[in-house]
């Protein structure tokens, strides 16, 4: 099933998949995770190939206290 909230469709291959923000590997498949936030008027996405890479990511999102 295609996730209707994702711009990655079922037929994405390794060459067209976004790179993992932590390790650079293709971020696709069942382990794929995405973090999305709004920065001013821009929507920013970071893709991850696994939950482990997502947890290891140096979170660059602005804090709520800023």
């Amino acid at each position: 099933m295609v996730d209707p909230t994702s711009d990655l469709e079922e037929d994405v291959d390794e060459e067209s998949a976004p790179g993992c923000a932590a390790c650079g590997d293709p971020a696709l498949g069942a382990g794929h995770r995405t973090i999305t936030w709004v920065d001013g008027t821009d929507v920013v996405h970071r893709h991850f190939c696994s939950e482990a890479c997502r947890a290891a990511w140096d979170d660059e999102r602005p804090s709520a206290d800023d």
Side-chain angles (χ1 to χ4, degrees):
M1 179 174 121
V2 174
D3 179 350
T5 64
S6 175
D7 58 356
L8 296 178
E9 298 184 19
E10 284 186 42
D11 59 352
V12 173
D13 59 17
E14 288 191 18
E15 291 180 11
S16 60
C20 176
C23 73
D25 286 349
L28 71 153
H32 176 239
R33 301 289 182 259
T34 304
I35 300 292
T36 305
W37 69 96
V38 176
D39 184 10
T41 60
D42 297 323
V43 177
V44 182
H45 306 276
R46 295 294 177 262
H47 297 273
F48 304 92
C49 62
S50 67
E51 185 60 38
C53 278
R54 190 262 174 259
W57 173 57
D58 185 19
D59 196 334
E60 64 193 84
R61 295 175 291 181
S63 70
D65 297 333
D66 290 345

